[in-house]
Amino acid sequence: MAMAASSALQQPDRCRLLAPPRRRRQAHHLLRMLPPPLLVSPRCRRGAVRFSSGDGGGKGGSAGAVEKRSVPAPVPVPVPEAADEKGGEDGGEEVVAVAVDGGKLELRWPPWEGLPERYRLMGATSLAFVICNMDKVNLSVAIIPMSHQYGWNSSTAGLVQSSFFWGYALSQLPGGWLAKLIGGRTVLKVGVLAWSLSTAVIPAVAGFMPGLVLSRVLVGIGEGVSPSAATDLIARTIPIQERSRAVAVVFGGLSFGSVLGYLFAPPIIQNLGWESVFYIFGLLGVIWCIGFESIKELQPSDSEDILNFEQTSTGSNGLISSPVSLKSSDSSLEEMKDSIKDVPWREFFKSKAVWAMIYVHFCGSWGHYTCLSWLPTFFSEELDLNLTEAAWVSILPPLGSMIITSIAAPFADNLISSGVDTTKVRKICQTIAFLSPAAFMMLSSVDLGLPPWVIVAFLTSGLALSSFALAGLYCTHQDISREYASILLGITNTVGAVPGIVGVALTGYLVDTTHSWSMSLFAPSIFFYLTGTVVWLAFFSSEPQDFNKSALDSLTESNK
């Protein structure tokens, strides 16, 4: 009987119980004889399910079919796993299967167990970015009680907040180079640990200004290497047909992190003190580092869906991109120096597409960072909202970004899968990302007598639609060069960090001198959005570029 039931269960793509009625009754009778703690422990692998009683491993265990209505209430009690007949270790995930009033319920634990390894990696990377922005916005909330405690004026508070961008700007290129050299996985893990520990020590050094500034610089350095590390991971593990969604999932974690930071930081500070928000948020990053160790490092043989990067790939323009090694490099100091020299820096800056990416990244960051820093003040002063209302309204743009991201990513990937040229898709998405906020800012800056909630809706819609950049600009580094994707993002993100240092301070100066939010906040952003669109449409191309080949050709010509 057990052999017959086991044979019926091991059919491809069938995770249900198959047996004649007579044998189902026999199996039911046998099941009732088992003690309650030892009901059934199934294993489901590749569409096949195997049941074992746990008392005899894979040899003497009882197996059978259970009638759907045989168990009146769910009792999902797993028992020790039996050895897999085909080797044991590749048996797949555990599934708790129970019968509930005529229907079968299958619970999967852990819930991500059935996902391909590259999806788990992207999910974990996205979670790192959630924590990233939680640690970025916590100071903007905690700065108010800290200023009261230590007697800081606005200039001092501004110095403390801007120090983050010093480290963020300085770490972009080193982060991209290290991601290429030793792999984005290692760089991401070190970055998360660095910014989390630096966040946790802020309460201890808050009374000593140089120490506080240094801690925030270290937070900026840790978070600054992370985008390049994530770009390297995506370039190595995600095929182009899934790349927009991967970028959206990973970098979309930033918006979710902003929402969580604004939601949880105020009540934590109010109930536990401002110090607690740094301890708790810092601890989350340490926990993430421990959990990240459980995700195995991907190799080309792990899945048929993962691109084999040891082979070369040909772009639509006929260029053959260099192979990307998936092995981490334990290089000596001399080899590391040589690796810097081997990077074709000159060839990067000969590319019109790279220059377009640099300028567009600057333009997008200007609008993002200035609005992130000054919109709460604008809502409070210009729209006469109280501080609580302004704080809640500030959450709306990142919430809208999360919604738009879930639309933009599949939109772009579906266009590419249907045969639309990749360059055209990236141009469409980035144009939407720039023209939308520019249009809504124009409407918000003109005195039309609109009620406050309409202006809030305009700004929320515009900033949310700017998330189309995740399917535009932020995919292009991987598009034009898998090998140097992390370094290219480091270059563009270095320039993109400048508005965080210059733009935020300049906006405050313009507010004081012009007393006009339209001229100080909206007009510069509109200018950069419009000029960025023109540059993007005129000069950008997603065609893969072999920078090594270009450098070799240049060297050959110079030797002639």
Side-chain angles (χ1 to χ4, degrees):
M1 177 188 67
M3 294 178 61
S6 176
S7 175
L9 290 173
Q10 295 175 352
Q11 297 289 333
D13 300 322
R14 302 284 297 275
C15 286
R16 63 178 63 186
L17 304 178
L18 302 175
R22 179 171 172 266
R23 291 182 179 176
R24 286 205 300 267
R25 289 193 295 270
Q26 292 174 343
H28 179 217
H29 176 71
L30 176 62
L31 181 63
R32 293 181 60 185
M33 297 175 62
L34 295 175
L38 300 177
L39 282 178
V40 180
S41 175
R43 290 167 61 84
C44 181
R45 178 170 64 87
R46 297 176 185 174
V49 176
R50 182 172 53 82
F51 286 76
S52 65
S53 65
D55 57 353
K59 296 180 181 180
S62 301
V66 184
E67 189 175 4
K68 286 186 177 181
R69 299 181 182 178
S70 61
V71 183
V75 190
V77 183
V79 300
E81 292 185 358
D84 189 75
E85 295 103 321
K86 296 185 180 181
E89 291 185 357
D90 63 340
E93 71 270 13
E94 288 190 21
V95 177
V96 178
V98 295
V100 184
D101 295 334
K104 193 171 86 170
L105 173 67
E106 290 190 358
L107 302 178
R108 204 184 291 272
W109 190 260
W112 57 82
E113 190 67 28
L115 292 176
E117 222 32 68
R118 69 183 187 277
Y119 294 162
R120 300 190 207 181
L121 184 62
M122 291 300 101
T125 307
S126 178
L127 182 58
F129 277 61
V130 171
I131 301 172
C132 171
N133 257 28
M134 290 177 68
D135 287 336
K136 185 183 296 181
V137 304
N138 57 8
L139 184 64
S140 64
V141 180
I143 197 70
I144 299 174
M146 292 173 70
S147 298
H148 292 163
Q149 179 174 334
Y150 295 107
W152 297 339
N153 56 25
S154 298
S155 298
T156 304
L159 172 67
V160 173
Q161 294 197 75
S162 65
S163 60
F164 168 87
F165 292 100
W166 304 351
Y168 191 80
L170 290 173
S171 60
Q172 296 299 317
L173 280 175
W177 167 68
L178 286 172
K180 179 185 181 299
L181 183 65
I182 64 177
R185 180 189 178 98
T186 301
V187 173
L188 178 64
K189 183 169 59 179
V190 173
V192 174
L193 186 62
W195 91 56
S196 299
L197 294 178
S198 300
T199 297
V201 303
I202 286 178
V205 300
F208 180 60
M209 184 55 63
L212 177 59
V213 170
L214 177 61
S215 67
R216 287 300 290 179
V217 170
L218 292 176
V219 173
I221 291 175
E223 296 194 8
V225 302
S226 302
S228 296
T231 298
D232 178 81
L233 282 174
I234 294 171
R236 292 172 186 262
T237 58
I238 303 298
I240 191 171
Q241 294 85 354
E242 300 177 4
R243 196 166 290 159
S244 299
R245 278 169 282 192
V247 171
V249 168
V250 171
F251 288 91
L254 295 173
S255 298
F256 191 45
S258 296
V259 172
L260 294 182
Y262 284 127
L263 282 177
F264 289 110
I268 290 175
I269 292 173
Q270 184 177 0
N271 294 297
L272 302 176
W274 64 264
E275 298 89 348
S276 59
V277 73
F278 297 106
Y279 293 139
I280 294 173
F281 286 11
L283 180 62
L284 291 177
V286 175
I287 295 174
W288 179 91
C289 291
I290 297 173
F292 193 58
E293 291 295 325
S294 64
I295 300 178
K296 71 177 183 179
E297 189 163 357
L298 292 177
Q299 299 297 331
S301 59
D302 286 339
S303 172
E304 295 178 356
D305 296 329
I306 296 179
L307 296 178
N308 186 354
F309 292 108
E310 295 301 330
Q311 299 176 353
T312 57
S313 60
T314 304
S316 58
N317 62 349
L319 294 177
I320 300 178
S321 62
S322 300
V324 179
S325 175
L326 293 176
K327 298 180 180 179
S328 296
S329 175
D330 298 325
S331 301
S332 64
L333 183 59
E334 289 298 324
E335 290 173 331
M336 294 176 71
K337 291 180 179 178
D338 291 339
S339 68
I340 297 178
K341 297 178 182 178
D342 291 339
V343 175
W345 302 101
R346 183 179 300 178
E347 303 306 317
F348 292 158
F349 296 105
K350 289 181 179 180
S351 170
K352 293 181 180 179
V354 171
W355 278 109
M357 292 159 61
I358 291 173
Y359 183 68
V360 167
H361 205 142
F362 177 90
C363 295
S365 294
W366 187 285
H368 175 73
Y369 288 141
T370 55
C371 288
L372 183 68
S373 301
W374 289 104
L375 270 185
T377 306
F378 168 79
F379 290 144
S380 177
E381 296 183 359
E382 189 72 7
L383 303 184
D384 295 326
L385 302 180
N386 60 42
L387 292 178
T388 302
E389 293 170 339
W392 280 100
V393 168
S394 300
I395 298 176
L396 295 179
L399 278 176
S401 296
M402 294 167 57
I403 298 173
I404 296 301
T405 297
S406 65
I407 299 173
F411 168 77
D413 282 344
N414 290 337
L415 286 179
I416 294 174
S417 298
S418 63
V420 180
D421 181 64
T422 304
T423 298
K424 184 178 295 184
V425 173
R426 304 303 182 210
K427 287 186 175 182
I428 291 173
C429 291
Q430 193 60 41
T431 300
I432 295 173
F434 273 6
L435 293 186
S436 298
F440 282 111
M441 283 183 180
M442 288 179 183
L443 293 174
S444 301
S445 60
V446 178
D447 188 8
L448 300 177
L450 300 174
W453 68 267
V454 175
I455 297 178
V456 169
F458 280 167
L459 294 176
T460 297
S461 301
L463 294 175
L465 287 169
S466 69
S467 296
F468 263 88
L470 294 179
L473 170 67
Y474 285 89
C475 290
T476 58
H477 309 82
Q478 304 95 305
D479 289 345
I480 68 173
S481 176
R482 293 183 193 141
E483 183 177 6
Y484 296 109
S486 59
I487 295 180
L488 289 172
L489 181 63
I491 293 172
T492 65
N493 222 10
T494 298
V495 179
V498 173
I501 303 171
V502 177
V504 173
L506 179 61
T507 300
Y509 172 78
L510 291 175
V511 169
D512 289 336
T513 55
T514 66
H515 304 287
S516 170
W517 285 101
S518 298
M519 295 299 298
S520 58
L521 179 60
F522 297 133
S525 296
I526 292 171
F527 170 79
F528 286 119
Y529 282 139
L530 295 180
T531 57
T533 302
V534 173
V535 170
W536 189 255
L537 294 176
F539 300 108
F540 177 72
S541 172
S542 275
E543 294 296 326
Q545 300 184 32
D546 192 339
F547 295 105
N548 286 329
K549 182 177 182 296
S550 299
L552 182 60
D553 291 343
S554 299
L555 181 61
T556 303
E557 291 178 3
S558 63
N559 292 333
K560 288 182 179 180

